[in-house]
Amino acid sequence: MKRRRQNKALTQAATPSAEAQWVVGTLALITLVFLLSAGLAQAKPMQSELHKFSVVTVASGLNHPWGMAFLPGGDMLVTERNGGVRLIRDGKLVKQPLVGAPKAYARGQGGLLDIAAHPKFAENRYVYISYAGSGEGGAGTEVARAKFTGDALEGLEVVFKANPKTSGSAHYGGRLAFTPSGDLLVTLGDRYARMKEAQDLNSHMGKVIRIRDDGSIPSDNPFTKREGAKPEIYSYGHRNVQGLALRPGSNQIWTGEFGPQGGDEINIDKPGANYGWPKITYGEDYGGGVISDKTALPNMEQPVVYWRPSISPSGMTFYDGDKFPKWKGNLFVGALSGAHVRRLTLQGDKVTAQEALLEDEGERIRDVRQGPDGFIYLLTDESNGKILRLEPPQ
Ligand SMILES: [Ca+2]
C-alpha cells in the first residue's frame, strides 16, 4: 500500500515534467512552423541583366496550378489542373477550393485550365474558366462562366465547347484573355491531331477563337460569312497555344505555342491569318522525323521568334508596371521544359534580346502575369505547385 502510494507519488511527480516536456515540444514545433512560414515569405535575392529582384513564395501546396486572375479588391483566383479553383485572400491561400467550379476531365494535360475575370467584374461578378470537358467522342476544350459571390462560384453556365471532341489527353490550349472591346479570346490546341485539324476551318482544333462574353459570335469575326467554317475562329494553323497577351499601347494580340521537337513560336495574331501548322514548322517530329520540310509558304505567317531546342512556352505577359522600369515593354514567357522565365526585349515587332530568369531554380513555369501591384506573378507546374512573386529587392 505504501509502495503503491509512493509509486503514485512518483507518477504524479512525473506528470508535470511530462507536461512541461510537451509544452516545450509544442513551443519548439510552433517556432519551427513559424520559422518555416517566415522562410516561405522570405525574399530570395536574384540578379539579372537590368534589375536586381527578389522571389517571394506567396503560396504553396497547389496541385499543378494553371491560371490566375486578379480581382478588384485584392482577391486572386488560381486554377489547379486536377479541378480546384483556389482563393488567395489577404495574401493567404484559403484552405478549401471554391464550390461551383466546372467538372473537368483531369487526365494527362487536361483538367481545369485558365481563369479570367470579366472586364466589368466589379458590376457583374463573372469569372470565366477554361477546362477539358468530356462528352461524346472523348474530350475537348470548353469555357464556362460563373459568378464569384466572395466565397463560392454560382450559376455555372457553359459559353463555348470546342467541336469535335476527340480521344487523347494532350494539346487543349485553353488560355483566356479579354480584348479591350470586351470580347473573349480562347486558345485551342490541335489535340495532337496534326495531319489535318489545325488547317481545317470546320474544326475548332488548332485555333484561336473570339466570342462575346455570353458565347455569341462577334459579327466582324473573319470567317462568319465563309461556308463550312466555324464562325468563332479568329486565327488558325496553330499547334498548342498556351501563351496569350495583349500588347499594351497597341491593338496587338500575341500568342505563344509549343512546337513539336523544336519550333516553339511566338506570333502576332491577326484576324483570319494562318500560322502554318503543320504545313510549315521550324521543328521536327519527336525522335527526329520530318513533319514538314518547309519553314515558309505563301499566305502563312512567320513567327516573331522561334526556339530550337524547345523551351515549352506557356503563359506570358507584357510588363508595363512601374516596379521594374527597365523591364517596361518586355515580354515575359513562362518556360515549362526550359524551367525558367524568358524575358524578351522588343523593338517594334522584333525581338532584339533575350534573357533567362530564375534558371537556377529549375521550376517549370506554367503562367506569368503582372499583378495590379506591378509585381510579376508566376505559377510553378508541380504537384506541390507555388505562386511566386518577383518584386524589387527589399
Ligand atoms: Ca507557325
PDB file of all heavy atoms in Angstrom, residues 140-167:
ATOM      1  N   GLY A 140     -12.713  17.709 -75.021  1.00  0.00           N
ATOM      2  CA  GLY A 140     -12.380  18.920 -75.775  1.00  0.00           C
ATOM      3  C   GLY A 140     -12.394  20.116 -74.847  1.00  0.00           C
ATOM      4  O   GLY A 140     -12.931  20.052 -73.736  1.00  0.00           O
ATOM      5  N   THR A 141     -11.816  21.210 -75.332  1.00  0.00           N
ATOM      6  CA  THR A 141     -11.737  22.415 -74.508  1.00  0.00           C
ATOM      7  C   THR A 141     -13.118  23.066 -74.422  1.00  0.00           C
ATOM      8  O   THR A 141     -13.819  23.180 -75.421  1.00  0.00           O
ATOM      9  CB  THR A 141     -10.723  23.393 -75.126  1.00  0.00           C
ATOM     10  OG1 THR A 141      -9.531  22.660 -75.426  1.00  0.00           O
ATOM     11  CG2 THR A 141     -10.391  24.529 -74.172  1.00  0.00           C
ATOM     12  N   GLU A 142     -13.483  23.456 -73.223  1.00  0.00           N
ATOM     13  CA  GLU A 142     -14.745  24.166 -73.010  1.00  0.00           C
ATOM     14  C   GLU A 142     -14.468  25.413 -72.170  1.00  0.00           C
ATOM     15  O   GLU A 142     -13.447  25.503 -71.493  1.00  0.00           O
ATOM     16  CB  GLU A 142     -15.756  23.257 -72.275  1.00  0.00           C
ATOM     17  CG  GLU A 142     -16.051  21.972 -73.040  1.00  0.00           C
ATOM     18  CD  GLU A 142     -17.121  21.098 -72.381  1.00  0.00           C
ATOM     19  OE1 GLU A 142     -17.660  21.487 -71.323  1.00  0.00           O
ATOM     20  OE2 GLU A 142     -17.416  20.027 -72.953  1.00  0.00           O
ATOM     21  N   VAL A 143     -15.397  26.360 -72.234  1.00  0.00           N
ATOM     22  CA  VAL A 143     -15.294  27.565 -71.404  1.00  0.00           C
ATOM     23  C   VAL A 143     -16.639  27.774 -70.712  1.00  0.00           C
ATOM     24  O   VAL A 143     -17.684  27.694 -71.352  1.00  0.00           O
ATOM     25  CB  VAL A 143     -14.950  28.821 -72.244  1.00  0.00           C
ATOM     26  CG1 VAL A 143     -14.835  30.057 -71.352  1.00  0.00           C
ATOM     27  CG2 VAL A 143     -13.655  28.613 -73.031  1.00  0.00           C
ATOM     28  N   ALA A 144     -16.587  27.995 -69.415  1.00  0.00           N
ATOM     29  CA  ALA A 144     -17.809  28.285 -68.660  1.00  0.00           C
ATOM     30  C   ALA A 144     -17.607  29.572 -67.875  1.00  0.00           C
ATOM     31  O   ALA A 144     -16.477  29.989 -67.620  1.00  0.00           O
ATOM     32  CB  ALA A 144     -18.133  27.135 -67.708  1.00  0.00           C
ATOM     33  N   ARG A 145     -18.727  30.211 -67.539  1.00  0.00           N
ATOM     34  CA  ARG A 145     -18.631  31.368 -66.651  1.00  0.00           C
ATOM     35  C   ARG A 145     -19.518  31.138 -65.435  1.00  0.00           C
ATOM     36  O   ARG A 145     -20.498  30.377 -65.493  1.00  0.00           O
ATOM     37  CB  ARG A 145     -19.012  32.661 -67.362  1.00  0.00           C
ATOM     38  CG  ARG A 145     -20.476  32.776 -67.723  1.00  0.00           C
ATOM     39  CD  ARG A 145     -20.760  34.143 -68.332  1.00  0.00           C
ATOM     40  NE  ARG A 145     -22.153  34.278 -68.733  1.00  0.00           N
ATOM     41  CZ  ARG A 145     -22.643  35.348 -69.345  1.00  0.00           C
ATOM     42  NH1 ARG A 145     -21.874  36.379 -69.620  1.00  0.00           N
ATOM     43  NH2 ARG A 145     -23.929  35.406 -69.666  1.00  0.00           N
ATOM     44  N   ALA A 146     -19.149  31.783 -64.345  1.00  0.00           N
ATOM     45  CA  ALA A 146     -19.935  31.699 -63.113  1.00  0.00           C
ATOM     46  C   ALA A 146     -19.731  33.006 -62.356  1.00  0.00           C
ATOM     47  O   ALA A 146     -18.786  33.748 -62.628  1.00  0.00           O
ATOM     48  CB  ALA A 146     -19.473  30.520 -62.262  1.00  0.00           C
ATOM     49  N   LYS A 147     -20.642  33.278 -61.431  1.00  0.00           N
ATOM     50  CA  LYS A 147     -20.482  34.488 -60.611  1.00  0.00           C
ATOM     51  C   LYS A 147     -19.737  34.123 -59.328  1.00  0.00           C
ATOM     52  O   LYS A 147     -20.103  33.156 -58.652  1.00  0.00           O
ATOM     53  CB  LYS A 147     -21.843  35.089 -60.290  1.00  0.00           C
ATOM     54  CG  LYS A 147     -22.505  35.633 -61.551  1.00  0.00           C
ATOM     55  CD  LYS A 147     -23.665  36.576 -61.261  1.00  0.00           C
ATOM     56  CE  LYS A 147     -24.183  37.103 -62.594  1.00  0.00           C
ATOM     57  NZ  LYS A 147     -24.967  38.324 -62.447  1.00  0.00           N
ATOM     58  N   PHE A 148     -18.716  34.890 -59.024  1.00  0.00           N
ATOM     59  CA  PHE A 148     -17.960  34.679 -57.793  1.00  0.00           C
ATOM     60  C   PHE A 148     -18.612  35.511 -56.692  1.00  0.00           C
ATOM     61  O   PHE A 148     -18.580  36.737 -56.721  1.00  0.00           O
ATOM     62  CB  PHE A 148     -16.498  35.080 -57.994  1.00  0.00           C
ATOM     63  CG  PHE A 148     -15.676  34.995 -56.750  1.00  0.00           C
ATOM     64  CD1 PHE A 148     -15.609  33.818 -56.011  1.00  0.00           C
ATOM     65  CD2 PHE A 148     -14.957  36.096 -56.303  1.00  0.00           C
ATOM     66  CE1 PHE A 148     -14.850  33.736 -54.855  1.00  0.00           C
ATOM     67  CE2 PHE A 148     -14.189  36.023 -55.149  1.00  0.00           C
ATOM     68  CZ  PHE A 148     -14.141  34.846 -54.421  1.00  0.00           C
ATOM     69  N   THR A 149     -19.233  34.807 -55.730  1.00  0.00           N
ATOM     70  CA  THR A 149     -20.005  35.511 -54.704  1.00  0.00           C
ATOM     71  C   THR A 149     -19.129  36.103 -53.607  1.00  0.00           C
ATOM     72  O   THR A 149     -19.597  36.871 -52.777  1.00  0.00           O
ATOM     73  CB  THR A 149     -20.975  34.529 -54.025  1.00  0.00           C
ATOM     74  OG1 THR A 149     -20.188  33.488 -53.403  1.00  0.00           O
ATOM     75  CG2 THR A 149     -21.936  33.901 -55.018  1.00  0.00           C
ATOM     76  N   GLY A 150     -17.867  35.702 -53.583  1.00  0.00           N
ATOM     77  CA  GLY A 150     -16.991  36.110 -52.488  1.00  0.00           C
ATOM     78  C   GLY A 150     -16.434  34.885 -51.786  1.00  0.00           C
ATOM     79  O   GLY A 150     -15.324  34.917 -51.268  1.00  0.00           O
ATOM     80  N   ASP A 151     -17.218  33.790 -51.780  1.00  0.00           N
ATOM     81  CA  ASP A 151     -16.671  32.544 -51.240  1.00  0.00           C
ATOM     82  C   ASP A 151     -17.102  31.303 -52.017  1.00  0.00           C
ATOM     83  O   ASP A 151     -16.838  30.188 -51.601  1.00  0.00           O
ATOM     84  CB  ASP A 151     -17.011  32.392 -49.748  1.00  0.00           C
ATOM     85  CG  ASP A 151     -18.508  32.500 -49.495  1.00  0.00           C
ATOM     86  OD1 ASP A 151     -19.283  32.463 -50.470  1.00  0.00           O
ATOM     87  OD2 ASP A 151     -18.892  32.636 -48.321  1.00  0.00           O
ATOM     88  N   ALA A 152     -17.784  31.495 -53.151  1.00  0.00           N
ATOM     89  CA  ALA A 152     -18.189  30.358 -53.983  1.00  0.00           C
ATOM     90  C   ALA A 152     -18.431  30.831 -55.411  1.00  0.00           C
ATOM     91  O   ALA A 152     -18.518  32.045 -55.673  1.00  0.00           O
ATOM     92  CB  ALA A 152     -19.464  29.725 -53.424  1.00  0.00           C
ATOM     93  N   LEU A 153     -18.531  29.842 -56.318  1.00  0.00           N
ATOM     94  CA  LEU A 153     -18.924  30.139 -57.695  1.00  0.00           C
ATOM     95  C   LEU A 153     -20.373  29.718 -57.854  1.00  0.00           C
ATOM     96  O   LEU A 153     -20.762  28.629 -57.443  1.00  0.00           O
ATOM     97  CB  LEU A 153     -18.032  29.365 -58.673  1.00  0.00           C
ATOM     98  CG  LEU A 153     -16.542  29.735 -58.636  1.00  0.00           C
ATOM     99  CD1 LEU A 153     -15.710  28.716 -59.399  1.00  0.00           C
ATOM    100  CD2 LEU A 153     -16.318  31.134 -59.211  1.00  0.00           C
ATOM    101  N   GLU A 154     -21.174  30.586 -58.465  1.00  0.00           N
ATOM    102  CA  GLU A 154     -22.607  30.299 -58.579  1.00  0.00           C
ATOM    103  C   GLU A 154     -23.094  30.465 -60.009  1.00  0.00           C
ATOM    104  O   GLU A 154     -22.613  31.330 -60.742  1.00  0.00           O
ATOM    105  CB  GLU A 154     -23.400  31.269 -57.683  1.00  0.00           C
ATOM    106  CG  GLU A 154     -23.779  30.652 -56.360  1.00  0.00           C
ATOM    107  CD  GLU A 154     -24.577  31.617 -55.481  1.00  0.00           C
ATOM    108  OE1 GLU A 154     -25.110  32.627 -55.992  1.00  0.00           O
ATOM    109  OE2 GLU A 154     -24.633  31.342 -54.269  1.00  0.00           O
ATOM    110  N   GLY A 155     -24.072  29.631 -60.384  1.00  0.00           N
ATOM    111  CA  GLY A 155     -24.742  29.793 -61.682  1.00  0.00           C
ATOM    112  C   GLY A 155     -23.859  29.438 -62.857  1.00  0.00           C
ATOM    113  O   GLY A 155     -23.858  30.139 -63.868  1.00  0.00           O
ATOM    114  N   LEU A 156     -23.126  28.350 -62.734  1.00  0.00           N
ATOM    115  CA  LEU A 156     -22.206  27.946 -63.802  1.00  0.00           C
ATOM    116  C   LEU A 156     -22.948  27.759 -65.126  1.00  0.00           C
ATOM    117  O   LEU A 156     -24.003  27.119 -65.179  1.00  0.00           O
ATOM    118  CB  LEU A 156     -21.518  26.636 -63.416  1.00  0.00           C
ATOM    119  CG  LEU A 156     -20.342  26.230 -64.300  1.00  0.00           C
ATOM    120  CD1 LEU A 156     -19.111  27.050 -63.952  1.00  0.00           C
ATOM    121  CD2 LEU A 156     -20.047  24.745 -64.134  1.00  0.00           C
ATOM    122  N   GLU A 157     -22.366  28.317 -66.179  1.00  0.00           N
ATOM    123  CA  GLU A 157     -23.033  28.350 -67.484  1.00  0.00           C
ATOM    124  C   GLU A 157     -21.946  28.172 -68.557  1.00  0.00           C
ATOM    125  O   GLU A 157     -20.981  28.933 -68.590  1.00  0.00           O
ATOM    126  CB  GLU A 157     -23.693  29.735 -67.566  1.00  0.00           C
ATOM    127  CG  GLU A 157     -24.259  30.190 -68.831  1.00  0.00           C
ATOM    128  CD  GLU A 157     -24.657  31.672 -68.739  1.00  0.00           C
ATOM    129  OE1 GLU A 157     -24.249  32.400 -67.792  1.00  0.00           O
ATOM    130  OE2 GLU A 157     -25.351  32.110 -69.640  1.00  0.00           O
ATOM    131  N   VAL A 158     -22.090  27.135 -69.393  1.00  0.00           N
ATOM    132  CA  VAL A 158     -21.090  26.877 -70.434  1.00  0.00           C
ATOM    133  C   VAL A 158     -21.306  27.866 -71.578  1.00  0.00           C
ATOM    134  O   VAL A 158     -22.424  28.006 -72.079  1.00  0.00           O
ATOM    135  CB  VAL A 158     -21.188  25.427 -70.942  1.00  0.00           C
ATOM    136  CG1 VAL A 158     -20.201  25.180 -72.083  1.00  0.00           C
ATOM    137  CG2 VAL A 158     -20.920  24.441 -69.803  1.00  0.00           C
ATOM    138  N   VAL A 159     -20.245  28.565 -72.008  1.00  0.00           N
ATOM    139  CA  VAL A 159     -20.387  29.532 -73.104  1.00  0.00           C
ATOM    140  C   VAL A 159     -19.713  29.055 -74.386  1.00  0.00           C
ATOM    141  O   VAL A 159     -19.955  29.610 -75.463  1.00  0.00           O
ATOM    142  CB  VAL A 159     -19.862  30.937 -72.725  1.00  0.00           C
ATOM    143  CG1 VAL A 159     -20.679  31.528 -71.586  1.00  0.00           C
ATOM    144  CG2 VAL A 159     -18.379  30.910 -72.367  1.00  0.00           C
ATOM    145  N   PHE A 160     -18.870  28.025 -74.285  1.00  0.00           N
ATOM    146  CA  PHE A 160     -18.230  27.514 -75.505  1.00  0.00           C
ATOM    147  C   PHE A 160     -17.791  26.071 -75.306  1.00  0.00           C
ATOM    148  O   PHE A 160     -17.277  25.707 -74.248  1.00  0.00           O
ATOM    149  CB  PHE A 160     -17.007  28.361 -75.879  1.00  0.00           C
ATOM    150  CG  PHE A 160     -16.238  27.782 -77.040  1.00  0.00           C
ATOM    151  CD1 PHE A 160     -16.704  27.915 -78.342  1.00  0.00           C
ATOM    152  CD2 PHE A 160     -15.059  27.074 -76.822  1.00  0.00           C
ATOM    153  CE1 PHE A 160     -16.018  27.348 -79.406  1.00  0.00           C
ATOM    154  CE2 PHE A 160     -14.368  26.504 -77.884  1.00  0.00           C
ATOM    155  CZ  PHE A 160     -14.850  26.640 -79.179  1.00  0.00           C
ATOM    156  N   LYS A 161     -17.994  25.255 -76.363  1.00  0.00           N
ATOM    157  CA  LYS A 161     -17.474  23.884 -76.385  1.00  0.00           C
ATOM    158  C   LYS A 161     -16.782  23.664 -77.718  1.00  0.00           C
ATOM    159  O   LYS A 161     -17.418  23.819 -78.763  1.00  0.00           O
ATOM    160  CB  LYS A 161     -18.617  22.862 -76.259  1.00  0.00           C
ATOM    161  CG  LYS A 161     -19.215  22.759 -74.879  1.00  0.00           C
ATOM    162  CD  LYS A 161     -20.221  21.610 -74.848  1.00  0.00           C
ATOM    163  CE  LYS A 161     -20.797  21.469 -73.432  1.00  0.00           C
ATOM    164  NZ  LYS A 161     -21.575  20.250 -73.264  1.00  0.00           N
ATOM    165  N   ALA A 162     -15.511  23.302 -77.673  1.00  0.00           N
ATOM    166  CA  ALA A 162     -14.786  23.022 -78.919  1.00  0.00           C
ATOM    167  C   ALA A 162     -15.353  21.763 -79.554  1.00  0.00           C
ATOM    168  O   ALA A 162     -15.700  20.802 -78.873  1.00  0.00           O
ATOM    169  CB  ALA A 162     -13.299  22.844 -78.643  1.00  0.00           C
ATOM    170  N   ASN A 163     -15.437  21.810 -80.882  1.00  0.00           N
ATOM    171  CA  ASN A 163     -16.011  20.708 -81.639  1.00  0.00           C
ATOM    172  C   ASN A 163     -15.037  20.320 -82.755  1.00  0.00           C
ATOM    173  O   ASN A 163     -14.533  21.199 -83.437  1.00  0.00           O
ATOM    174  CB  ASN A 163     -17.353  21.220 -82.227  1.00  0.00           C
ATOM    175  CG  ASN A 163     -18.120  20.133 -82.918  1.00  0.00           C
ATOM    176  OD1 ASN A 163     -17.685  19.659 -83.964  1.00  0.00           O
ATOM    177  ND2 ASN A 163     -19.230  19.749 -82.350  1.00  0.00           N
ATOM    178  N   PRO A 164     -14.764  19.031 -82.963  1.00  0.00           N
ATOM    179  CA  PRO A 164     -15.297  17.874 -82.251  1.00  0.00           C
ATOM    180  C   PRO A 164     -14.507  17.543 -80.981  1.00  0.00           C
ATOM    181  O   PRO A 164     -13.405  18.041 -80.793  1.00  0.00           O
ATOM    182  CB  PRO A 164     -15.094  16.754 -83.284  1.00  0.00           C
ATOM    183  CG  PRO A 164     -13.834  17.142 -83.991  1.00  0.00           C
ATOM    184  CD  PRO A 164     -13.844  18.650 -84.055  1.00  0.00           C
ATOM    185  N   LYS A 165     -15.105  16.713 -80.139  1.00  0.00           N
ATOM    186  CA  LYS A 165     -14.362  16.121 -79.030  1.00  0.00           C
ATOM    187  C   LYS A 165     -13.612  14.911 -79.572  1.00  0.00           C
ATOM    188  O   LYS A 165     -14.101  14.231 -80.470  1.00  0.00           O
ATOM    189  CB  LYS A 165     -15.304  15.688 -77.907  1.00  0.00           C
ATOM    190  CG  LYS A 165     -15.939  16.868 -77.174  1.00  0.00           C
ATOM    191  CD  LYS A 165     -16.560  16.415 -75.875  1.00  0.00           C
ATOM    192  CE  LYS A 165     -17.427  17.478 -75.223  1.00  0.00           C
ATOM    193  NZ  LYS A 165     -16.711  18.716 -74.891  1.00  0.00           N
ATOM    194  N   THR A 166     -12.419  14.684 -79.052  1.00  0.00           N
ATOM    195  CA  THR A 166     -11.593  13.584 -79.565  1.00  0.00           C
ATOM    196  C   THR A 166     -10.933  12.835 -78.419  1.00  0.00           C
ATOM    197  O   THR A 166     -10.898  13.322 -77.277  1.00  0.00           O
ATOM    198  CB  THR A 166     -10.479  14.105 -80.501  1.00  0.00           C
ATOM    199  OG1 THR A 166      -9.691  15.047 -79.775  1.00  0.00           O
ATOM    200  CG2 THR A 166     -11.051  14.765 -81.747  1.00  0.00           C
ATOM    201  N   SER A 167     -10.405  11.660 -78.743  1.00  0.00           N
ATOM    202  CA  SER A 167      -9.707  10.874 -77.725  1.00  0.00           C
ATOM    203  C   SER A 167      -8.328  11.482 -77.476  1.00  0.00           C
ATOM    204  O   SER A 167      -7.886  12.358 -78.202  1.00  0.00           O
ATOM    205  CB  SER A 167      -9.570   9.427 -78.198  1.00  0.00           C
ATOM    206  OG  SER A 167      -8.819   9.410 -79.394  1.00  0.00           O
TER     207      SER A 167
END
